[in-house]
Amino acid sequence: MKGCPFGSHRVIEPLGFLPQAARKIDNSEDLYDNEISVDVETLNVDSASFTQMREACKDDELGIAAMIIDIVNNRGKLQNPVTGSGGMLIGRVSRIGEALKDRKLEVGDRIASLVSLSLTPLKIERILKVHLEKDQVDVEGKAILFESGIYAKLPLDIPAKMALAVLDVAGAPAQVDKLVQRGMSVAILGGGGKSGVLCCYQAMKKCGDSGKVIVVEYSEENAKRIRELNLAHEVVIADATKPLEVYNKIHELTAGKLCDVVVNNVNVPNTEMSSILVTKNEGIVYFFSMATSFTRAALGAEGVGKDITMIIGNGYTKGHDELALDILRESDSIRRLFQKLYI
Ligand code: NAP
């Protein structure tokens, strides 16, 4: 029997919703003809979600493991009830529904899901290890991908956990590639983090010598990393939750002109106004951060009279997986950094 291509057949409550918005979905292993079943190895928990879990559990690994099990048992998916976000997974294909047999996919292939865990039916049998510094959790479990669920076969030239970390945020550098043009000034808030580093690389490549990339980072350590990797023209140490602090620094650095494109990669709430204030009139803000509030951004921009385009960070754009993985192939220094952080 075929289910809905978008997975609505697995929604338990509220009926009529799609899986991402649903409170609870069916994570049973009975496979519909247009589904794929995966033996899960590792979950890459979304940074906003993992940060919330770490805070709530005071960095206690057992506490985080219990919290994850509790969420999955209650909801049938790993969707953090506070942040609403999920993450993604890697695992091996265990079954392919009859209706999807024409796909270029075999049982046993190792894949990364490119759709959020916040909509992916998931069952966890055991948590093997919580990796506090990597936002990753090794598990034994099963997941289901719907007909519309995108995935990538893991590349052979990049270690799986590194690929997982990069693919989780692949939408960000791919959107930067689309938005940034030669000569533009670009600000990247949270530029020293995982998605931030990839965005910096792509922004530097696209804006060229006549453009300017400015990173706003919270910690000295991350700022130092960006300087050493030569991934920005300017690095500002500031708290993105303090809009005037960020505005004054960027105003000075750009001689009052502000930025054409602003990318928000921060993993904490309340950074909308910093992004909005440093954007030129008629410029663009790309909110990749999952901690973004639509209300704060919409009313905030109106409140300061900014005529700007604000883009919600769709995690998917065509070819985003290859573009992000290619950054690791092109840049030895970013590859070394990701090797250190995520393997
Ligand atoms: P990450 O590696 O944790 O990076 C976050 C960065 O923000 C870090 O460099 C962090 O610095 C910095 N930061 C934190 N608080 C700050 C502050 N007050 N001021 C300035 N910088 C601050 O996270 P990520 O994996 O790149 O993810 C970034 C965001 O994208 C998260 O919100 C995540 O949920 C979201 N995301 C979105 C999608 C999507 O589809 N739209 C997909 C995946 C992830 P420190 O390390 O010094 O704290």
Side-chain angles (χ1 to χ4, degrees), residues 46-48 193-195 217 219 222 239-240 265-267 288 290 313 315:
D46 168 72
S47 175
K194 183 171 39 162
S195 57
E217 247 307 326
S219 66
N222 285 4
D239 180 349
N265 299 98
V266 180
N267 59 350
F288 189 67
M290 283 289 168

Side-chain angles (χ1 to χ4, degrees), residues 114-173:
L114 296 178
V115 285
S116 173
L117 290 173
S118 65
L119 59 85
T120 304
L122 177 69
K123 221 177 221 181
I124 297 181
E125 280 129 36
R126 224 151 54 93
I127 293 200
L128 304 174
K129 171 93 186 127
V130 173
H131 300 274
L132 273 189
E133 300 306 326
K134 299 180 190 167
D135 302 359
Q136 293 186 349
V137 183
D138 295 333
V139 300
E140 279 173 13
K142 296 260 184 213
I144 304 287
L145 292 180
F146 304 128
E147 187 175 345
S148 60
I150 46 174
Y151 53 83
K153 280 199 212 180
L154 286 175
L156 297 175
D157 60 333
I158 295 172
K161 286 199 173 174
M162 202 198 293
L164 176 65
V166 168
L167 290 170
D168 175 40
V169 294

Side-chain angles (χ1 to χ4, degrees), residues 64 103 115-116 155 221 272 278 285 287 300 339:
I64 293 173
R103 293 210 175 166
V115 285
S116 173
E221 191 192 338
E272 296 82 358
V278 302
V285 185
F287 283 113
Q339 195 147 0

Side-chain angles (χ1 to χ4, degrees), residues 6-287:
F6 313 118
S8 68
H9 56 288
R10 283 197 180 250
V11 171
I12 296 174
E13 60 171 88
L15 286 177
F17 276 40
L18 286 173
Q20 209 278 336
R23 208 199 63 73
K24 185 169 184 153
I25 61 175
D26 170 16
N27 60 359
S28 68
E29 288 168 44
D30 303 330
L31 203 68
Y32 284 76
D33 285 344
N34 55 344
E35 292 180 335
I36 293 166
S37 154
V38 181
D39 287 335
V40 184
E41 296 167 22
T42 302
L43 304 171
N44 194 95
V45 184
D46 168 72
S47 175
S49 170
F50 202 67
T51 302
Q52 190 277 330
M53 289 179 189
R54 283 183 63 168
E55 278 169 18
C57 301
K58 299 190 170 48
D59 277 352
D60 173 41
E61 291 177 15
L62 288 177
I64 293 173
M67 193 168 170
I68 289 175
I69 294 281
D70 192 51
I71 294 173
V72 172
N73 285 347
N74 275 314
R75 311 195 69 167
K77 55 180 177 170
L78 182 57
Q79 182 175 34
N80 185 318
V82 179
T83 63
S85 56
M88 50 178 288
L89 62 85
I90 50 174
R92 280 189 196 279
V93 173
S94 55
R95 284 161 67 203
I96 303 171
E98 280 305 319
L100 303 182
K101 287 277 193 241
D102 57 346
R103 293 210 175 166
K104 289 184 187 131
L105 192 69
E106 308 275 339
V107 168
D109 280 350
R110 212 156 175 225
I111 60 166
S113 66
L114 296 178
V115 285
S116 173
L117 290 173
S118 65
L119 59 85
T120 304
L122 177 69
K123 221 177 221 181
I124 297 181
E125 280 129 36
R126 224 151 54 93
I127 293 200
L128 304 174
K129 171 93 186 127
V130 173
H131 300 274
L132 273 189
E133 300 306 326
K134 299 180 190 167
D135 302 359
Q136 293 186 349
V137 183
D138 295 333
V139 300
E140 279 173 13
K142 296 260 184 213
I144 304 287
L145 292 180
F146 304 128
E147 187 175 345
S148 60
I150 46 174
Y151 53 83
K153 280 199 212 180
L154 286 175
L156 297 175
D157 60 333
I158 295 172
K161 286 199 173 174
M162 202 198 293
L164 176 65
V166 168
L167 290 170
D168 175 40
V169 294
Q175 293 288 356
V176 167
D177 187 64
K178 290 208 281 195
L179 297 174
V180 175
Q181 310 288 332
R182 180 159 285 279
M184 279 185 166
S185 51
V186 184
I188 302 183
L189 278 61
K194 183 171 39 162
S195 57
V197 164
L198 300 173
C199 288
C200 288
Y201 177 84
Q202 207 59 30
M204 290 287 276
K205 190 169 161 180
K206 287 299 294 283
C207 79
D209 294 339
S210 53
K212 189 177 220 172
V213 174
I214 305 170
V215 160
V216 177
E217 247 307 326
Y218 190 53
S219 66
E220 275 286 351
E221 191 192 338
N222 285 4
K224 186 165 160 256
R225 178 195 289 168
I226 291 295
R227 284 195 196 101
E228 282 171 2
L229 294 177
N230 214 6
L231 284 174
H233 299 98
E234 305 280 355
V235 181
V236 169
I237 298 180
D239 180 349
T241 65
K242 307 241 167 69
L244 285 174
E245 183 182 325
V246 175
Y247 171 75
N248 288 333
K249 290 189 173 171
I250 299 226
H251 190 273
E252 193 186 327
L253 276 177
T254 57
K257 291 192 184 129
L258 305 177
C259 299
D260 299 289
V261 174
V262 176
V263 185
N264 185 321
N265 299 98
V266 180
N267 59 350
V268 295
N270 291 311
T271 62
E272 296 82 358
M273 282 316 290
S274 290
S275 316
I276 289 166
L277 283 186
V278 302
T279 309
K280 273 183 192 169
N281 259 327
E282 299 183 14
I284 296 172
V285 185
Y286 175 61
F287 283 113

